[in-house]
Amino acid sequence: MQELLGRLSALDPGASLGLRVIACFDELVVGNVNSRALLSAAASLAGCNAGYCQDLPARTMRVTPRGELVDGPVVVPPQPSSATADGLTVWIERSGPAHANDAIILERLALSMRIRHGRGHRDLDGRRALGLVLDRAVPVEDRRTAAARLGLVPGTRHRVVAAPLFAVWDEHPTAAEDVVPTPYGPIHALVVPHDHPPIAAGPIGVGVATTVEHLHRSFATAVVALRLCAPPGTPSVDADRYGGLIGLLADLPPDADQPDVDALAEVMAHPWGPSTVDALVRAGSVRQAARLAGVHHSTLQQRLDGVGDILGFDPFDDGIGRTRLGIAYLGWRLRTSRVLDLPAPGRTPGGR
């Protein structure tokens, strides 16, 4: 499939994106994900709400592109925004003209839902075992029970791998997996042993190693790591690289007030801003930062003075200032992350 994607990208970008839709639903069907996860995938790919209803037993569900359930009256749109087969109807709630891949999203959603319900595995609370394990609001005993159903033994350590639905997998680990709703949209989550070798896939984020009781924490750090990815140069990020900092970032709500990040955004608006700040964060001296940024040390010093004026603190010579700069830089990267955006036609996710 990946080889075919590469060939089609050069010949027909539209067909390439359509094939990625097929590959996405193939992954979900193999993972035996639930109805909500399939709808989340369709909504995310289409960029609008998706829904389904069935006759026996009577049930209706609508999901936003972020994987959230939608309440309210249901009006099934006519074809071509809906499809019906075997007593089951699926649809996408597109306002305006249909997009190029709407038909294939509907087709694969309908097929996947028929396969899902044909197996007879109905989960009326909309969540499966992994969704319970990764939800910190679920009582710990219930999380342990759900983990046991997945074969995860108490006392053993695992990591959660987080990926967008369109990730490219050169290898796919055998693991407990599902699609889990997050504030940033549906995320494909897998649980692997703590010492699992690096996974050839992208973009992906790998969470910290924890016991099964704390896998929700590993998932939170994996999502942060994923959002720090910047394909094709950085197709994967391991949370261990950032230590406790990534835990602090995972605890921040999406709408947290971050004045240092706001100020740093002004620095980053300069053409030299991103490369200079990246060099300052990584370097141990002004001369080393200048080498990393590819400029003369006097030029770097001038930029450093300007950065300090904008931020309102010394971002390099003072230890607390360097810490504040590093945290603000990571916060800016998260705020401006585009790794979860659906790739444009003709561009292979992860640079592959």
Side-chain angles (χ1 to χ4, degrees):
M1 179 69 81
Q2 302 305 335
E3 181 181 356
L4 183 56
L5 271 172
R7 293 179 180 178
L8 277 177
S9 294
L11 298 174
D12 187 343
S16 172
L17 185 56
L19 195 57
R20 283 202 291 271
V21 172
I22 296 174
C24 170
F25 280 103
D26 284 350
E27 291 280 356
L28 300 179
V29 169
V30 170
N32 190 26
V33 304
N34 61 11
S35 301
R36 179 173 175 177
L38 291 171
L39 289 174
S40 296
S44 178
L45 291 167
C48 60
N49 292 352
Y52 97 102
C53 61
Q54 62 183 28
D55 298 335
L56 295 173
R59 189 183 181 200
T60 300
M61 183 184 296
R62 298 165 65 213
V63 177
T64 71
R66 290 188 175 276
E68 300 163 342
L69 294 176
V70 181
D71 296 325
V74 175
V75 178
V76 179
Q79 293 181 340
S81 294
S82 64
T84 301
D86 298 334
L88 189 150
T89 299
V90 299
W91 66 86
I92 55 176
E93 300 175 6
R94 171 80 65 208
S95 59
H99 289 193
N101 286 293
D102 282 0
I104 197 166
I105 292 171
L106 269 176
E107 174 191 293
R108 304 313 290 187
L109 174 61
L111 177 60
S112 300
M113 293 290 279
R114 289 166 61 195
I115 293 173
R116 167 69 185 168
H117 290 269
R119 292 176 179 175
H121 297 307
R122 295 184 176 90
D123 187 356
L124 297 183
D125 72 356
R127 294 191 299 178
R128 298 178 346 129
L130 188 56
L132 298 173
V133 171
L134 301 183
D135 187 348
R136 67 182 304 169
V138 173
V140 67
E141 287 302 324
D142 292 344
R143 278 186 265 137
R144 289 195 186 104
T145 300
R149 296 207 306 267
L150 296 170
L152 305 176
V153 180
T156 58
R157 294 169 65 79
H158 297 78
R159 300 178 188 272
V160 177
V161 177
L165 302 180
F166 52 79
V168 175
W169 300 82
D170 293 340
E171 60 171 308
H172 194 105
T174 300
E177 60 185 317
D178 208 337
V179 175
V180 181
T182 76
Y184 311 102
I187 297 292
H188 187 179
L190 304 87
V191 179
V192 298
H194 73 96
D195 55 355
H196 194 283
I199 298 170
I204 60 170
V206 181
V208 298
T210 69
T211 58
V212 296
E213 294 85 356
H214 301 287
L215 279 175
H216 63 278
R217 189 65 178 167
S218 183
F219 180 54
T221 58
V223 172
V224 174
L226 171 61
R227 294 173 60 216
L228 289 174
C229 291
T234 308
S236 65
V237 170
D238 192 323
D240 286 349
R241 178 182 180 187
Y242 296 98
L245 285 178
I246 208 161
L248 294 175
L249 296 169
D251 288 336
L252 284 175
D255 58 350
D257 182 27
Q258 301 179 76
D260 285 351
V261 178
D262 295 338
L264 188 63
E266 184 178 343
V267 175
M268 295 306 205
H270 293 281
W272 48 264
S275 61
T276 298
V277 173
D278 183 77
L280 290 173
V281 169
R282 298 178 188 279
S285 68
V286 173
R287 289 188 179 274
Q288 184 185 9
R291 287 195 296 271
L292 291 175
V295 298
H296 193 272
H297 67 87
S298 61
T299 301
L300 196 285
Q301 183 62 59
Q302 290 177 347
R303 293 180 182 178
L304 178 57
D305 294 340
V307 170
D309 291 340
I310 294 173
L311 296 182
F313 62 85
D314 188 331
F316 200 75
D317 290 335
D318 175 71
I320 295 298
R322 295 193 66 176
T323 301
R324 288 178 64 179
L325 177 64
I327 294 175
Y329 179 48
L330 293 176
W332 176 83
R333 286 173 58 189
L334 291 177
R335 180 180 291 183
T336 58
S337 175
R338 295 293 177 266
V339 72
L340 294 175
D341 294 350
L342 186 67
R347 180 168 61 85
T348 305
R352 293 177 173 82

